[in-house]
Each structure stands twice: as C-alpha cells, then as structure tokens.
Amino acid sequence: MTDDKDVLRDVWFGRIPTCFTLYQDEITEREADPYYLLLPRVSYLTLVTDKVKKHFQKVMKQEEVSEIWFEYEGTPLKWHYPIGLLFDLHASNTALPWSITVHFKKVVELLFFLKHFHCNLFLVSRVRERLLRSANFPEKDLLHCHSKDVIEAHFMACIKEADALKHKSQVINEMQKKDHKQLWMGLQNDKFEQFWAINRKLMEYPPEDNGFRYIPFRIYQATTERPFIQKLFRPIASGGQLHTLGDLLKDVCPSAITPEDGEQKTQVMIHGIEPMLETPIQWLSEHMSYPDNFLHISIIPRPTD
Amino acid sequence: MAMPSSLLWAVDIFGRVYTLSTVGQYWELCKDTQLEFKRVSAVKQCCWGIACDHQVYTYVFSGDVPIRYQEETYENQRWNPVGGFCEKLLPSDRWQWSDVSGLKHQQLDSFTLPSPHWEWESDWYVDENIGGEPTEKGGWTYAIDFPSTYTKDKRWNSCVRRRRWIRYRRYKSRDVWAKIVSHDEPDQLPDPFNDISIGGWEITDEPLGRLSVWAVSLQGRVWYRENVCHHNPEGSTWSLVTTPGEVVQISCGPYDLLWATLWEGQAIVREGIDRNNPQGISWSTVESPSSENGIMHVSVGVDVVWCVTKDRKVWFRRGVNSHNPCGTSWIEMVGEMMMVTVGLNNQVWGIGCDDRAIYFRQGVTPSELSGKTWKAIVSGRESDRSQTGSSTSLLSAGCFFTDDIQNQTSAVIQGDADPSSDTELPGVPSSPASTALLGAAAAGNGPASQAETSAQLPVDPLHSEQGEATAASASNEKDNLEMNKSPGNPNPSAELQWINIDLKEAQKHPVLSVSSFADTSSLSSLGVFSVGAEEQYGADEHPLWAWVSGGGCLVDLHSPLKWFTAPSGLSSSVQSLSLSITPAQTAAWRKQIFQQLSERTKRELENFRHYEQAIEQSVWVKTGALQWWRNWKPHKWMDVRVALEQFTGSDGMRDSILFIYYMYHEEKKYIHVFLNEVTIIVEVLNEAKHSFALYTPERTKQRWPIRLAAATEQEMHDWLSLLNMSCCESRRIQGPPSHHAIWSVTCKGDIFVSEPSPELEAGPQLMPCDQMFWRQVGGHLRLIESNSRGVVWGVGYDHTAWVYTGGYGGGFIQGLASSADNIYTQSDVKCVYIYENQRWNPVTGYSSRGLPTDRYMWSDASGLQECTKTNTKPPSPQWSWVSDWYIDFSPAGGTDREGWQYAADFPASYHGHKTMKDFVRRRRWARKCKIVTNGPWLEVPPVTLWDISIIPSSDADDEEAVALWAISDKGDVLCRLGVTQQNPAGTSWLHVGTDQPFISISIGAFYQVWAIARDGSAFYRGSVSPNKPAGDCWYHIPSPQKQKLKQVSVGRTSVFVLDKNGNLWYRQGITPSYPQGSTWDHVSNNIRKMSVGPLDQVWVIADKVQGSHSLSCGTVCHRTGVQPLEPKGLSWDYGIGGGWEHITVRGNATEAARGAMPDTAEENPAPSKEGEDESKGKTEHSKTPLMVSESQELDRYSVNC
C-alpha cells in the first residue's frame, strides 16, 4: 500500500535539472562554461545557487561582480517564489534541463551607496540613467536579496501567514524560537526529517474540525499581470462536505475551469503534476503545500499540440 | 481514527426505539419493532425497557459467544456384595440423584428451562474429568463413603461412587425484546411499571456481567431485580425496596450512585450500596434546587448527578462522590430540557424542551464535569436516507423565517456569547436550524403540546392511562400537527437561554431584546409556519424524541463524533473507517497523484542523476544535557553532556555515533556507542525519572545497559525518536516489519519487533540472539501473536483485542519513522495495587498499629515500599487515574467479605478467612489507570480476549482463510472466521463449546489445536481442518504428574506446554495418525512464557538469567540445537531482557529462504515418519510462498533505498 507519507517525500525531493549560463553582456575575463545543477523544487533560487555564483565569479572581473539574479527567456525569476513554482509557471512543457540565464550587476549597490552617503544628486541620477539603459537589475520585478537572512525572513513570514489562516496563528505562536530555526535549517540544509519533525505540528488540526480554518493557497497565472490570487477559503463546506480543488478554482478563479463542453485550455499545476479537480483541498494542503505552508497553484495555458 | 463503536439509545414520541452509533451518522431503528416503548435504559451489553404495555423487556445483543449455563447433578451409587455398585443406597445415604453436597434431591427430569427465552443445547451427558484429570469411561469417581474425597481410581475400600451429569442451556432471545416473565406469587407481583434504570456493573466483577436493575411501578414503589448477570440476563425475581415516598423516576449509575425522584419534588439518594449490598441500605433526601419547582427527572453517572426541575431547568449537582452520594449544592445550567441522561465517562445528553431534539453536552471532561455547551445531534434516521435527507431539511427550516428575525437572533447571540468564541461553529445558539426550531417551538408550545409532554414524562403516575392514550394519538400525525400549530406561548422568555457560556450564573440577558425577539418570532413564525408546517411535520422528517439513554454510549476525547454535521455522500465516504483500504485511499484522485508524482520524478530526474546536488549533506550533530547512570560504584545519576554525530558514508548511507561526556575525578572522559551496534533502546518510565536504556550485544551479556535520563518527557521522546531513527537508518531498516518479524512485549506493555535473519534458526553459524535488533512499535499490549502471512493480533491489559494494521511507528515515534494512514489511537487500562496491612492486638483487635518491626501499614505487595493511597502515583506520566481506590476481592487465596486476607505473620501465605492462629491481615486496594497512545492497531470488538493463536504458516493461498483461535476473558474457546491476509481482522467468532473455562490455546501448522483449561488440564481438539474450522470434539490429555498446566504452544509438529511451576514440557510420541502423543518429557525449568514457531523453533521468556554485571528477570531465550531428531534442543541462548513478558516467533519461517542449507531444506520433523508423504507434501507447499514473499520484501527495500 502506498502511504501518504510518500507524497511528502516525493514533494520534498523533487529536483529540476538546470543549466545555468552567463548573460552574454556580462563582462568576463574568459569564456564561462554552463553550470549544471539539480535544484530542489521546494527551495529558493538564491538559497541554492552559491555554487553557481562561485562558478561564474571565477570568470568575472571582481569589480563587475554584484548581486546575482536570474532570468528565463526574458522573464526575471523571482527568488521569493519557490523554484518548483517558477518552473511550473514559466517553463513546464519545455525541454529539460531548464536553462536559466545568470546576471550580475554591481550598479545597484553603487546606487545605494551613493544615496546613502548623500552624494550629489547629479551623480545619482547619472548612475540611474546608466543602470536603466543597460537593462540591469529589474527593480520592478525582483526583490533584493542581500543575504540569506532576507530569504529566512520571507520564508518565516509565509509560514506565519499560513498558520494565521490555518490555526489563527496558534500553532506557530506556541512554538519555540528553536523550532522556527529548525524549520528554516531543515529547508536550508535539505533535511526532510528535521523539517517535518516540526512542520507536522503545523499540519495538524483538532479532530472535531475535520480540517484547517482556511486553506493557505496562492494561485498564479502565467497569462496575467496580477501576481497571484489569494482569498479566504474553507476546506469544508457548510454542509460538511470536503471542498475540492475544483471547488476552489470555481470560487476564486473560474477562468481556470474548463467549461463542460469546452476544450481544455489550461493546466492546473502543483509540483509539476496536475491533480484531479476532485482532490480534496484539505488533503492537498496537508500533503502538497510547499515548505512555506502555502499551496502554490500555477495555471498555465495547455500546450496546443 | 479507529474506535470501537457503542450505541446511544432513544425512543421517539411514537414509541419507536432507535440507536445511534458513535461511529455512525444515522439513527437506526431497533431490529425488533414489534413493540412500542416508553422508556429504555441501556448499558453496553444490553438494554432494558418498559413498553407501552407497562411490562419490562430486556434486549440482549447477539454476539458470537452464546450465553450458556451449565446445569449439573450427581448420580450416587453404593457397593454391596450382591449387586456390586448399584442404585440401592443406605437409608442414611444421600439421594440417588443429588447436588454436589448431597443435600438436595435433583433428578435429571427435575430441571426445567427458567423461561421461554432459553433452550437446551444438548441432552444430559457424563463429565469424564475430575480436577483436570480424565476418568475412566463412564465418569465414575470413587470414595470410601459419602461425603468424602473422590478419586478416579477404584480401590479395594471404595464403597461408594458418583458421577457428574451436565447439560447446557442457552439463552436464545437475543437481538429481540424478551419479556421478563415473573414467577412471583400473583399477589406479590409488582403493579405495572413506569420507569426503569440499569447500572451498577462496576460495583463488583462477580458474578460476571452483574447488573443492578431498578424499576419504579405506577404506584410509586421501587423494585430491585435479583440476580441479573451475564448468564442470567433476565434475573430471577423482583424484590420491593421501601421508600420514604412515592417515587416517579429512578437513575442508577455504573457504580454505587442511585438517585430517584419523589412525587413531591425531592430527590432521594440511596446510601450504603457496595459489593455486599448492591441494593444499598437507606435513603437520604435532597431538596429540589428551587422551592417552587420540584425535581422532575434525575440522572446519575459514576460521580455526577444532573436533574431537571418541573420548569424544565437543568441542574448539576456539585460535590458528588462515593463517600458523599448526596453532593453539596445545585448549579443551574443553561438550556431547558425534558430529561437528561448521563452515560459512560460522565457524558450527558438531553432532550430539548421545545424542539424535542437530542442534545449532547460538549466539553465534559474529568476536570470539567459540567461541560461547556449543548450541541444538537442532527443525525437523520436510516429510514429517511432514501428520502430527501432529514438533516438538510432540518437546516432548511430556517428559511421559513424572515431576515429580520435572523438578524435579531444573531444580535442576541453576539451580545451574550464569549467574544473570543467562534460564532461560526455549528453550536446550538448560532445554527440557524436550532434558532428556527426554537422559534417554531415557541410558536407551537400551546396547551395541547403541554399536555402531550406531561404525558410523556412521569410527572404524574396517576395519569399514566392518559399517557398511553396520548401515545396512541401521537401516532396520528394529524393530531400531532394540530398540537404544534396551536398558538400561544405561556413562557416566552424562556426560549432564548441558549448560549455558549457554561454556567447560567455567568451571564446576563439583555431582557429587552429577548422579549422583542420572542414576540416577533411567535408572530411571524406563526404566519409562515402554516405554510411550511405540513412539509415539516407531515413528512415526518425531524425526529421528535421522548427518551434517550446514554448508559451504553462511550464518547471520549479521542473519538470525534459525526452526529453534528448533516451527512453527505462525500464526507461520509471519506471519513468511513475500515481496516482495509479506505475509500479515500482508493479514490481516483489519490491514485492519480501517486502516479503523476512518480512520472514527474522519472521525467525530471532519470536522465539527470549525474548532475550535482545543489545542497550538500552535512554532518548533523544533536547535543544536549542528560543524566547517566554511572558505571562505577556507588551507582547514581550524574549530569553528562551528550552528542549525536551523524555522517554520510560514501555509499550515501548514514551512520551515527553517540558520545557521552562525563567527569571522573575531575577528569573529562567520554564513552561512545556506534548506533549500528545498538540492539534496542527501551523507554524505562517511572514516576521519578524520564529514562531510557540502550543495549548492545555486549551490554546484553552484561545485563547492564547504558541508562540515560532526560529532564522532561518531551526531551526524552525527542532523543528516543532521534536515536531510534538513527539506529534504523544505520541498519537500513525502514517501513513496516516483514511477515516473518518476531514480536515481543515488555512488562510495561511496550511492543518491540525484530527482523529475523536467516542465520537465526539455521546455518553453519547460528546468530546469537543478543545480536537481534529490536525496534519499537507504538501501542500498549499484554500479548501479541503473529504468523508468517503477516496476520498479527494483540491483547491489551484490559483484554481488548487488537489487530495489526500493517503500519509502523506510533507512540513517541512520530513523523517520518511512522506511517501516516494506519496509526490509530489505542488505549489500555490496568490496575495499580497497594496493600493495607493490619496486626491484631488484644486491646483493639486488628488495627493499623503494627509492631516496630512490621512492614508499612500501607505498602506494596512485598511490604518493603510504603504505598499510601495519596502518595501512590500512576506507573508513569503517560498513565492517568480513571477510578478511585477500591477494595480488590480477587487476590489468590480468597478474601472475606471486606476483602481481608489473614495470615499468622508477615510475610506468609494468606487465606480468605480468619483462624485462631492469625495475627495479621491485609487487603488489596486497586485503582484503575488508563494510557492513551497510538500505534498500528485497530480494535476488534466486542469480545475481550485472554489468549490467541494464529496458524503459523499454511499452504493456503492469499485469499484463503487463516485459522485463528482465541480464548475469551470469560474462558470461552473461539474460532475466528474470515481471517485472510487482506482482512486480518476476520469477520466473526465461532464459539467452540467446552465444559469449563480455558486459559491457553495454540494451533499448529497442520491444524493441530491444543488448549489448556483453567483447572490446568490439557485438551486436544479433533478433526480441525480448513473445511471444518472448529473441529469436532475435545480429547482430554493427562497433564505431567502433579502439575497444573498454564500455556501450550504448537509449532509445525512439536507441542510444548508450560506448567504453573515454570517447567517446560515436550510432548513425545506425536504422529499424524496419533496426534495426541503419548508422554511428557521435561525440557527446562525457570520458564515464564514460550512460543514455538513454524520451524518448531522454541523461544521462551525465562524468569531469571545471570549476566556478568547483573541479573535479569523476564529474558528472551532461544533454544539451540533443535533438530528434527532432537526436537527438545540442547541448551539456551540468551537474548534481550529483563522485563520481557511475551514473545512470538510464529511468523518466522525463514529457514531455507536463502537456500544456504540444502540439508535443512529437506528437514522433516522426526515424529512424522508414519505420515512422511503427507507432511512432506505440505512442507514443500508451505515453503513456496515463503520464497515469494521474501523476494517481494527485497524488492520493496530496493525501491525505498
């Protein structure tokens, strides 16, 4: 008999084979080889790319090296989205390995520096001009990630938000600081056991409730500008029936549902698979949430062929 | 969540009896629908009721085990020189047919069935067994004269002889209402009955299933039913109990609490109920909580009392316990009820005054006996299911009302309710259904319905005829409809006192909004009601209840109920429980996810495995401060630092080392343990320390483990969990145990399992059993039995039967080392005993003033440890008390009526009556404690068990039934039907008749069933086969000389028995044609328990084993040198211990699996020469599936790695 626990393992150990190449305009001392890596689907780009950074820094001029950021076919990749979500949203149904372009730009720091030290405004504006001209760090799309602390803060904020929805924050608030740390360390060091030893508490609920208070989910659509949809949604209908994935979509994103007679135009993806719309949302939330405790659902156009 | 189901009983206003299961969602109509009832009172095993004919009926559940009663009589004969032994006795002799004492004349034909509910099982036959030994044919036993000692052998001076005739009668009226037929004199017959209550089963265990049945007659007199017990479900006679006034209603708790209400409105409380006096001694009176309104109804539990006064208010009695059955004061509770009922666990139900719905009191816990809120049970009736579904229409009743009323309602609720409480919860006050119903009731609570309600309740016994009339008219739906439509509300403000807050004292009602609500609701609902009325009541959808009884209904914290949400197709299918795969698991969506995930992994990983991993695995060290039982003398706990280092080998496998850093003469030192050498980690819980022991083979030889203790239970469990996981990881063990696993249980009830290596039973170099690795499985059991097909059953200390679900982990093993789907809550109950010791002195007689040299006056069994009632704690923090201290009357040697055992001095052997030479006495006090844990176990209700045996291996294929035999805790022999690999729980029990209670049973590989009776004699069951699972008859096998046997175990062909003095015996001379064998051969002494496996391997728990550092009691030992020609083996190999209680090796048939020993594969048991062909054929067959399952296991591991 297959165990639901295996789903947790499969979700955790999901890997995306990735090929990193340096952006052609980057100034290098010599030709850079592409770098191949298995990226954990549940982690964050800037958390697992130390090796990539090191690899490309070797060929970069020191003074050119700055904050690293990634892009896939012209789309800047948001580091604060889990890797699996980025892949599902932008690159599913494409050939593997996933090819990601690496950018380095120092100017941002420079700008920051100038601002900080009250340099004259003229200089600042000059620098900004240059920055914009050379299509550098996409301030509009990406958050800065100066250190791992930023990722940790973001990750913990997500977990807290999710628990606020699930348990009115009761579980996360009852945890000790070291438990919070263990969650983060578990993710950072890819320790499934260490992470789940704590995370299982976040997945519990009083037996009389039959589920969480609200399901923490976010729905992303490749085709819209809007970053994501997030609403309050209960796992159990007022009549006691379990809400399904289909119910959720019908409620918050009806465009994703294929009309009965219509042709299937979209794919609903979680962790690279398309669960059936009959799947209970509570089960999905318990078993297929990302480590940040959110169910990140991608809705993408179905490939035509 | 697994739980055994129990039933809530209720009667609707038409007199129909329904039951609602704690695992169900629908009210089911009682199977026997011939009669209409007024009252029912239920306990777990039966229900008593008063039908509309005012007669008493009892409804006994059918079960797999019959209720049977043994009648016996003795045939006596005397020898004379002329005719030899003959019927002619001397004039001074006893009757020719008499009872055992000879004083009572009883001929065979003088026995008649006590009531029409009984039938004879067979004709009379002669018992050929005397004190555990078979007699000659004919069953005669001889003596010199009457009365005397009888022997089975005839001697020269045997002048008299007698034999025992027995015949069984069987109670046949099960699953039907059986009328209680009265044999009393017509003029002493009680008048028609009005109320009934049953309980009192916890007052004493003897006789089995004893019940107190109390009834109230129409004239207000109280009657007690004598001799109601398991084998006499109807009892014998009614006896009158005088009362200080006319009684209208009575309630009897599970223990010694009995309250009744008087016509004048007071309650009377029975005092002095105990083991010797189940009827009690005297009454005391308790006044009603309010002077204007007397008590109308009362209901009691173990130590709680609830009552309803005539104004329908509900009250809780404070301070009630065994010593003060009257309690101290009343507290008013929120809500208005027609009646309330207290069930098991002190849970409470009531019938709403206006809507006639049944409410369950939520939040009743040992610390908060009055609970929190009333919650309506919305379960529909089974019969409504085909229709629109009653509960949904119940909910939709809210639509009859206009919006503004609902707004006002919610305003009132918000004003009253605790602001922090979730008003969206479907509690009584906030659900639109109940407010709607309140309104409806407010509208319809007219004079007619008032009359109707009073007729349903025992307010006036003189009105009973009217009550009957109303019941009859109530069946007329139109009348009922009229009644509910009648306008006017005599008591409008009473309708709204439903809120979330617990006690009434705590709340203040905004009077204004209440009255305005009442007005609007009665007005507007009246207007709309007539439109919807026909639909609502005409279709008979919402059941209106008249009576409810929770005395057989067990609700506890761990069992979520499904009574409060409207049943719907999906949720019920998702939540439904069974041991086999749940529908949710088989659901297409689930399959799809599994399938897609594995496809995804294939797609995204298969061709890219050579890529580098983004995150490198690093050493993970856990450190902490623990205490260590130091190696050198004086031994004591000392503070140490502990570190666990994990490292990943080049093969990707992890290994760990545990370091313990300590100070020795101010010098820093450490010891370290490689976790791949650890054989077991055992929790050693006691009240003082949270400690655990860690063994390696070396430490097992020494009998001296590494002992560590943590400051808190949580910290210990963190370490245990981590260390266990690390051990399993370094030994590459994961997932559930294999079918061949060896299971064992410690004296603490902890369960351990070990994977046998093929070298354990065969091979050039046998694996010593101290090298076996044991891992813990959650749960708490007294014994466990398995077979090589993966069927595993266990029995708890409370005799509950459990079946293994195929999971792993549970208990403290949480998270990943534990499976998710098949771990369920498990609980167990056992007793803690202390002794009260007294010495006799000439002045005061026996007193608690002992000699200075005496033991403590309150002590443990040895007398060495002081144990008082107050300082004695449950065995560990996992246990909690579930009863008060009570006198235990069951110690060996017997007790007097007050539980005392006498002896000449401490310590000595005790007896149950005082003699001249006795200067000391003691009595045993018991207190029940309960553990709630979890593990891969599901309860197999309802029969509780003493022993189990599963056929070790058989050539049957997967679909075929697995033979499983058991002994119930009453001593009945049972055979489980329908047990297969897929359904290890089986379907039902088949009862196998015996002439006396049994204590041990075992079935061998070829269906040889052996059993031990309570008198210590052995029996062989003839002709058991797959086609005849229960066999045909018992053959009595004489025991070894002067020994009383206590356990039997049958392997492939070997039969071993254990006697009460710890001797192990082998049955010599067994052949297929003569399966009973010929003689007993002594093998060993000092044995506590044994298990003979499918390879005829012998494993035991030995009483004492000497190690190099210490001695251990309860040690696992393996018999070495067991060969086909040497089935008794040669010597013992010592394994894990002490503190072990039980082991089963009956799953381990992995002898020839690897083909390493071709000669052992040919091995055939020596005694089977005569039946060589037959048994050889079977052996080969039985090996084939073993090979298959072995390879499957290997596959499974390779997938997982």
Side-chain angles (χ1 to χ4, degrees), chain B residues 93-109:
Chain B
D93 274 343
R94 53 188 61 192
W95 308 94
Q96 192 214 327
W97 293 90
S98 72
D99 69 346
V100 65
S101 67
L103 300 173
K104 197 177 155 204
H105 184 200
Q106 24 180 60
Q107 281 177 291
L108 291 182
D109 57 12

Side-chain angles (χ1 to χ4, degrees), chain B residues 2 38 121 126 203 261 273 344 450 466 489 672 674 677 684 738 775 865 876 1034 1176 1191 1199:
Chain B
K38 293 173 59 184
E121 209 170 67
V126 169
I203 297 174
T261 55
I273 293 181
L344 301 175
Q450 202 74 327
Q466 188 199 328
N489 188 344
H672 67 282
F674 289 96
E677 288 176 2
V684 190
S738 77
R775 59 177 165 145
Q865 205 82 48
S876 82
W1034 293 109
K1176 199 167 198 168
S1191 63
V1199 168

Side-chain angles (χ1 to χ4, degrees), chain B residues 169-188:
Chain B
R169 57 182 158 89
R170 186 190 286 252
Y171 187 76
K172 63 178 181 185
S173 298
R174 302 224 273 177
D175 266 0
V176 293
W177 289 106
K179 188 172 179 175
I180 299 298
V181 192
S182 205
H183 299 290
D184 301 288
E185 297 290 310
D187 53 320
Q188 283 175 350

Side-chain angles (χ1 to χ4, degrees), chain A residues 1-7 9-11 13-18 35-41 43 48 51 87 96-97 168 178 182 187-194 196 200 207-210 213-214 234 239-242 244 271-276 278-280 283-284 288, chain B residues 1 420-422 424-425 557-558 560 565-571 574-575 579 581 585 588-590 592-594 596-598 600-601 603-605 608-620 646 654 714 718 725 729 734 805 808 814-822:
Chain A
M1 198 200 304
T2 340
D3 197 314
D4 281 353
K5 198 141 281 169
D6 297 340
V7 175
R9 268 184 192 278
D10 280 355
V11 164
F13 290 107
R15 297 284 186 267
I16 295 166
T18 311
Y35 195 77
Y36 297 93
L37 211 53
L38 286 174
L39 296 182
R41 269 179 164 271
S43 195
V48 294
K51 287 180 182 176
F87 180 79
L96 289 169
K168 297 184 184 172
K178 73 172 170 85
Q182 187 166 337
L187 177 73
Q188 192 177 2
N189 298 330
D190 193 27
K191 300 280 190 197
F192 177 62
E193 286 86 359
Q194 193 182 345
W196 270 98
R200 74 183 165 79
E208 65 270 18
D209 287 0
N210 297 323
R213 216 164 143 262
Y214 297 107
R234 287 188 185 272
Q241 309 93 317
L242 295 174
T244 63
H271 294 293
I273 67 167
E274 291 178 76
M276 290 168 75
E278 290 78 19
T279 313
W283 190 95
L284 281 176
M288 300 201 62
Chain B
M1 257 318 171
S420 69
S421 76
D422 192 343
E424 279 161 303
L425 281 173
L557 280 152
H558 311 281
T565 48
S568 72
L570 180 66
S571 63
V574 170
Q575 290 167 1
L579 181 55
I581 304 163
Q585 287 171 307
W589 57 262
R590 201 169 172 283
Q592 165 119 342
I593 284 173
F594 277 100
Q596 286 195 9
L597 276 172
S598 78
R600 183 200 76 175
T601 305
R603 183 173 70 234
E604 295 180 353
L605 216 48
F608 305 98
R609 286 196 189 274
H610 56 285
Y611 279 27
E612 205 178 324
Q613 290 283 352
I615 305 171
E616 293 296 334
Q617 294 293 308
S618 56
V619 173
W620 186 41
Q646 255 181 8
R654 260 183 283 179
Q714 184 56 48
D718 285 352
M725 205 158 73
E729 224 167 42
Q734 68 170 52
T805 61
Y808 55 99
Q814 296 291 338
L816 305 147
S818 175
S819 49
D821 303 336
N822 33 28

Side-chain angles (χ1 to χ4, degrees), chain A residues 13-259:
Chain A
F13 290 107
R15 297 284 186 267
I16 295 166
T18 311
C19 170
F20 289 95
T21 44
L22 196 59
Y23 182 53
Q24 54 196 13
D25 283 7
E26 295 283 351
I27 305 139
T28 58
E29 289 179 319
R30 56 177 194 274
E31 188 86 355
D33 292 330
Y35 195 77
Y36 297 93
L37 211 53
L38 286 174
L39 296 182
R41 269 179 164 271
V42 294
S43 195
Y44 298 96
L45 270 177
T46 42
L47 189 60
V48 294
T49 45
D50 285 349
K51 287 180 182 176
V52 178
K53 202 168 166 183
K54 216 180 270 174
H55 173 84
F56 290 114
Q57 273 176 358
K58 279 189 283 189
V59 298
M60 298 276 295
K61 286 185 184 141
Q62 274 316 300
E63 60 272 23
E64 295 290 336
V65 174
S66 171
E67 187 171 3
I68 190 169
W69 59 279
F70 305 92
E71 160 252 307
Y72 170 71
E73 288 185 351
T75 314
L77 296 173
K78 296 182 168 64
W79 64 262
H80 63 285
Y81 285 8
I83 293 164
L85 167 65
L86 291 171
F87 180 79
D88 291 347
L89 197 58
H90 303 301
S92 47
N93 308 313
T94 63
L96 289 169
W98 186 19
S99 117
I100 290 182
T101 310
V102 180
H103 294 256
F104 286 103
K105 273 299 164 193
K106 195 176 170 183
V107 241
V108 187
E109 250 90 358
L110 181 64
L111 185 71
F112 177 79
F113 176 85
L114 293 173
K115 250 186 194 166
H116 198 77
F117 287 93
H118 307 286
C119 295
N120 72 48
L121 282 174
F122 174 71
L123 189 60
V124 174
S125 62
R126 282 270 307 274
V127 171
R128 178 179 287 154
E129 248 169 61
R130 189 187 147 194
L131 194 146
L132 292 173
R133 231 183 305 131
S134 56
N136 285 308
F137 192 96
E139 302 278 349
K140 185 167 70 78
D141 299 314
L142 299 188
L143 299 172
H144 286 287
C145 180
H146 296 290
S147 74
K148 300 249 159 97
D149 295 345
V150 180
I151 315 173
E152 182 180 355
H154 166 74
F155 172 71
M156 289 315 298
C158 288
I159 285 196
K160 283 173 185 164
E161 183 181 347
D163 200 55
L165 293 167
K166 288 195 284 192
H167 311 107
K168 297 184 184 172
S169 302
Q170 275 161 1
V171 180
I172 195 81
N173 288 345
E174 273 168 28
M175 280 184 187
Q176 294 175 337
K177 186 84 194 134
K178 73 172 170 85
D179 296 334
H180 291 182
K181 203 75 194 169
Q182 187 166 337
L183 286 170
W184 167 246
M185 295 301 281
L187 177 73
Q188 192 177 2
N189 298 330
D190 193 27
K191 300 280 190 197
F192 177 62
E193 286 86 359
Q194 193 182 345
F195 176 81
W196 270 98
I198 304 298
N199 196 52
R200 74 183 165 79
K201 294 179 194 158
L202 293 167
M203 290 300 175
E204 286 166 357
Y205 50 86
E208 65 270 18
D209 287 0
N210 297 323
F212 300 138
R213 216 164 143 262
Y214 297 107
I215 296 292
F217 72 92
R218 283 173 184 168
I219 295 177
Y220 303 81
Q221 285 165 290
T223 49
T224 63
E225 280 298 294
R226 200 177 160 189
F228 53 75
I229 307 171
Q230 183 177 345
K231 285 180 178 166
L232 292 181
F233 189 78
R234 287 188 185 272
I236 313 284
S238 55
Q241 309 93 317
L242 295 174
H243 272 141
T244 63
L245 178 60
D247 296 335
L248 172 73
L249 293 174
K250 224 175 284 164
D251 197 26
V252 302
C253 186
S255 61
I257 302 258
T258 310

Side-chain angles (χ1 to χ4, degrees), chain B residues 678-683 692-694 720 723-724 727 752 774 776:
Chain B
V678 169
T679 52
I680 189 167
I681 302 167
V682 202
E683 195 173 357
F692 56 95
L694 209 133
L720 276 174
L723 290 173
N724 256 304
C727 285
F752 288 88
W774 295 93
Q776 196 166 348

